[in-house]
Amino acid sequence: LRSPDFIPRQFVGGFDFVKDNNKPLDRDGHGTHIAGTIAERNGNGVGLTGLVPNAKIIPIRVLDAQGLGTARNIARGIRYAAKQKADVINMSFEFALSVNSCAKIKSVCRAIKFAAKRGSLLVGAAGNSNGEPVAYPAGAPRVLGIGRTTKDACLATASRTGAGLGLLAPGGGLPALPSCGSDDTLFSRGAPILQLTFTGRDFRTFGYPTFYEGTSMATAHVSGVAAMVVASKVLGRNPSPAAIECQLRATARKANE
């Protein structure tokens, strides 16, 4: 909320389900980075730019300063976003791979069903390890699961694949196939996703950490493009989640090999 590359009116109706108050300050840096990829301002001489700099963000905190949280708070956050009439709900987090069905996170899957019925597209991170299937909640019904590519649009290593994977998007890192992609004068093949976020504990020191790469970053890119689809009205004034997902799939291209 204190990033110099946002303006206050971009944030609407947020809530902190960790502290149970209406001041959802990111304590980790991850959420600020994700929000930046989606909606950081442009033309202001600060930082980089988000995909949809005029988008409104509903900041909802469900994870603590170590990036850990509970299924209960995540479910509450999803329901809250849906009640706030979020067009897109970005879920840049994953449960442990032992959580491999909705039976193990019933409250979260019920919340996902609730949000989808209310017209929200739910976009989830597939997980940052090799193998199949994708992690939950990305693997749950009604969620568009997102894997990651490198800067050269190659499938990245440490990205889940298989059942539940819907799309790939830029998430940084090295390619799964060593022959895919190349270095250039600005970025190596293992380049991360750069975005402005806080780098201290006082919420006043901001910079561009080089360790942010993963399906969380890829998910933010898809959420941003989904917001573009909604804003463009190419599908009408109030497109359904299914229509938005169909448009995203139809306009995607095959990853490089």
Side-chain angles (χ1 to χ4, degrees), residues 82 89 111-122 141-142 241:
I89 298 177
I112 287 169
K113 183 177 180 180
F114 173 84
K117 283 187 173 182
R118 290 181 75 108
S120 299
L121 174 68
L122 295 106
R142 303 177 182 85

mmCIF file of all heavy atoms in Angstrom, residues 82 89 111-122 141-142 241:
data_model
loop_
_atom_site.group_PDB
_atom_site.id
_atom_site.type_symbol
_atom_site.label_atom_id
_atom_site.label_comp_id
_atom_site.label_asym_id
_atom_site.label_seq_id
_atom_site.Cartn_x
_atom_site.Cartn_y
_atom_site.Cartn_z
ATOM 1 N N ALA A 82 -14.807 -12.194 -3.720
ATOM 2 C CA ALA A 82 -15.996 -12.415 -4.535
ATOM 3 C C ALA A 82 -17.119 -11.462 -4.141
ATOM 4 O O ALA A 82 -17.817 -10.913 -4.998
ATOM 5 C CB ALA A 82 -16.455 -13.867 -4.405
ATOM 6 N N ILE A 89 -9.510 -13.089 -9.413
ATOM 7 C CA ILE A 89 -8.900 -13.365 -8.109
ATOM 8 C C ILE A 89 -7.567 -14.051 -8.355
ATOM 9 O O ILE A 89 -7.510 -15.170 -8.866
ATOM 10 C CB ILE A 89 -9.814 -14.236 -7.231
ATOM 11 C CG1 ILE A 89 -11.140 -13.499 -6.954
ATOM 12 C CG2 ILE A 89 -9.117 -14.586 -5.917
ATOM 13 C CD1 ILE A 89 -12.135 -14.310 -6.153
ATOM 14 N N ALA A 111 -15.121 -22.126 -1.204
ATOM 15 C CA ALA A 111 -14.983 -20.691 -1.470
ATOM 16 C C ALA A 111 -14.727 -20.431 -2.950
ATOM 17 O O ALA A 111 -15.242 -19.462 -3.523
ATOM 18 C CB ALA A 111 -13.844 -20.115 -0.624
ATOM 19 N N ILE A 112 -13.939 -21.283 -3.583
ATOM 20 C CA ILE A 112 -13.668 -21.156 -5.023
ATOM 21 C C ILE A 112 -14.968 -21.310 -5.807
ATOM 22 O O ILE A 112 -15.257 -20.525 -6.724
ATOM 23 C CB ILE A 112 -12.627 -22.207 -5.465
ATOM 24 C CG1 ILE A 112 -11.237 -21.820 -4.940
ATOM 25 C CG2 ILE A 112 -12.612 -22.358 -6.983
ATOM 26 C CD1 ILE A 112 -10.199 -22.909 -5.096
ATOM 27 N N LYS A 113 -15.766 -22.294 -5.461
ATOM 28 C CA LYS A 113 -17.057 -22.505 -6.121
ATOM 29 C C LYS A 113 -17.962 -21.288 -5.939
ATOM 30 O O LYS A 113 -18.614 -20.822 -6.883
ATOM 31 C CB LYS A 113 -17.724 -23.754 -5.557
ATOM 32 C CG LYS A 113 -19.037 -24.112 -6.219
ATOM 33 C CD LYS A 113 -19.603 -25.407 -5.637
ATOM 34 C CE LYS A 113 -20.928 -25.777 -6.292
ATOM 35 N NZ LYS A 113 -21.475 -27.041 -5.715
ATOM 36 N N PHE A 114 -17.977 -20.746 -4.734
ATOM 37 C CA PHE A 114 -18.771 -19.548 -4.424
ATOM 38 C C PHE A 114 -18.341 -18.377 -5.303
ATOM 39 O O PHE A 114 -19.175 -17.682 -5.895
ATOM 40 C CB PHE A 114 -18.586 -19.211 -2.942
ATOM 41 C CG PHE A 114 -19.208 -17.915 -2.506
ATOM 42 C CD1 PHE A 114 -20.551 -17.850 -2.172
ATOM 43 C CD2 PHE A 114 -18.444 -16.762 -2.424
ATOM 44 C CE1 PHE A 114 -21.127 -16.650 -1.761
ATOM 45 C CE2 PHE A 114 -19.006 -15.555 -2.021
ATOM 46 C CZ PHE A 114 -20.360 -15.507 -1.692
ATOM 47 N N ALA A 115 -17.018 -18.159 -5.400
ATOM 48 C CA ALA A 115 -16.498 -17.031 -6.173
ATOM 49 C C ALA A 115 -16.785 -17.196 -7.660
ATOM 50 O O ALA A 115 -17.145 -16.232 -8.344
ATOM 51 C CB ALA A 115 -14.999 -16.887 -5.933
ATOM 52 N N ALA A 116 -16.604 -18.406 -8.177
ATOM 53 C CA ALA A 116 -16.854 -18.648 -9.604
ATOM 54 C C ALA A 116 -18.321 -18.399 -9.947
ATOM 55 O O ALA A 116 -18.639 -17.828 -10.991
ATOM 56 C CB ALA A 116 -16.453 -20.070 -9.968
ATOM 57 N N LYS A 117 -19.211 -18.812 -9.073
ATOM 58 C CA LYS A 117 -20.641 -18.600 -9.310
ATOM 59 C C LYS A 117 -21.001 -17.120 -9.303
ATOM 60 O O LYS A 117 -21.960 -16.699 -9.942
ATOM 61 C CB LYS A 117 -21.461 -19.347 -8.260
ATOM 62 C CG LYS A 117 -21.562 -20.845 -8.516
ATOM 63 C CD LYS A 117 -22.530 -21.500 -7.551
ATOM 64 C CE LYS A 117 -22.755 -22.964 -7.924
ATOM 65 N NZ LYS A 117 -23.725 -23.613 -7.023
ATOM 66 N N ARG A 118 -20.210 -16.328 -8.572
ATOM 67 C CA ARG A 118 -20.472 -14.890 -8.502
ATOM 68 C C ARG A 118 -19.761 -14.125 -9.616
ATOM 69 O O ARG A 118 -19.784 -12.901 -9.639
ATOM 70 C CB ARG A 118 -20.065 -14.355 -7.133
ATOM 71 C CG ARG A 118 -20.989 -14.834 -6.027
ATOM 72 C CD ARG A 118 -20.581 -14.274 -4.674
ATOM 73 N NE ARG A 118 -20.940 -12.874 -4.541
ATOM 74 C CZ ARG A 118 -21.931 -12.429 -3.754
ATOM 75 N NH1 ARG A 118 -22.684 -13.290 -3.089
ATOM 76 N NH2 ARG A 118 -22.158 -11.138 -3.657
ATOM 77 N N GLY A 119 -19.084 -14.848 -10.524
ATOM 78 C CA GLY A 119 -18.522 -14.213 -11.706
ATOM 79 C C GLY A 119 -17.055 -13.867 -11.652
ATOM 80 O O GLY A 119 -16.565 -13.132 -12.512
ATOM 81 N N SER A 120 -16.306 -14.406 -10.685
ATOM 82 C CA SER A 120 -14.863 -14.140 -10.598
ATOM 83 C C SER A 120 -14.080 -15.228 -11.325
ATOM 84 O O SER A 120 -14.368 -16.418 -11.157
ATOM 85 C CB SER A 120 -14.398 -14.097 -9.140
ATOM 86 O OG SER A 120 -15.031 -13.070 -8.416
ATOM 87 N N LEU A 121 -13.092 -14.819 -12.121
ATOM 88 C CA LEU A 121 -12.140 -15.779 -12.685
ATOM 89 C C LEU A 121 -11.045 -16.001 -11.654
ATOM 90 O O LEU A 121 -10.404 -15.041 -11.198
ATOM 91 C CB LEU A 121 -11.519 -15.237 -13.972
ATOM 92 C CG LEU A 121 -10.405 -16.100 -14.573
ATOM 93 C CD1 LEU A 121 -10.951 -17.420 -15.089
ATOM 94 C CD2 LEU A 121 -9.664 -15.351 -15.679
ATOM 95 N N LEU A 122 -10.813 -17.249 -11.275
ATOM 96 C CA LEU A 122 -9.776 -17.583 -10.297
ATOM 97 C C LEU A 122 -8.557 -18.123 -11.014
ATOM 98 O O LEU A 122 -8.651 -19.063 -11.807
ATOM 99 C CB LEU A 122 -10.297 -18.599 -9.287
ATOM 100 C CG LEU A 122 -11.441 -18.063 -8.417
ATOM 101 C CD1 LEU A 122 -12.765 -18.668 -8.848
ATOM 102 C CD2 LEU A 122 -11.182 -18.328 -6.947
ATOM 103 N N PRO A 141 -11.152 -27.670 -9.335
ATOM 104 C CA PRO A 141 -12.125 -27.276 -10.358
ATOM 105 C C PRO A 141 -12.406 -25.780 -10.291
ATOM 106 O O PRO A 141 -12.371 -25.179 -9.221
ATOM 107 C CB PRO A 141 -13.377 -28.085 -9.973
ATOM 108 C CG PRO A 141 -12.866 -29.254 -9.202
ATOM 109 C CD PRO A 141 -11.667 -28.744 -8.453
ATOM 110 N N ARG A 142 -12.638 -25.189 -11.449
ATOM 111 C CA ARG A 142 -12.976 -23.769 -11.590
ATOM 112 C C ARG A 142 -11.778 -22.835 -11.392
ATOM 113 O O ARG A 142 -11.945 -21.623 -11.283
ATOM 114 C CB ARG A 142 -14.106 -23.355 -10.638
ATOM 115 C CG ARG A 142 -15.381 -24.172 -10.800
ATOM 116 C CD ARG A 142 -16.428 -23.753 -9.772
ATOM 117 N NE ARG A 142 -17.633 -24.559 -9.882
ATOM 118 C CZ ARG A 142 -17.783 -25.747 -9.289
ATOM 119 N NH1 ARG A 142 -16.800 -26.250 -8.567
ATOM 120 N NH2 ARG A 142 -18.909 -26.420 -9.428
ATOM 121 N N PRO A 241 -16.466 -16.019 -16.240
ATOM 122 C CA PRO A 241 -15.124 -16.592 -16.080
ATOM 123 C C PRO A 241 -14.773 -17.569 -17.196
ATOM 124 O O PRO A 241 -13.642 -17.572 -17.691
ATOM 125 C CB PRO A 241 -15.206 -17.296 -14.724
ATOM 126 C CG PRO A 241 -16.266 -16.573 -13.978
ATOM 127 C CD PRO A 241 -17.270 -16.153 -15.009
#
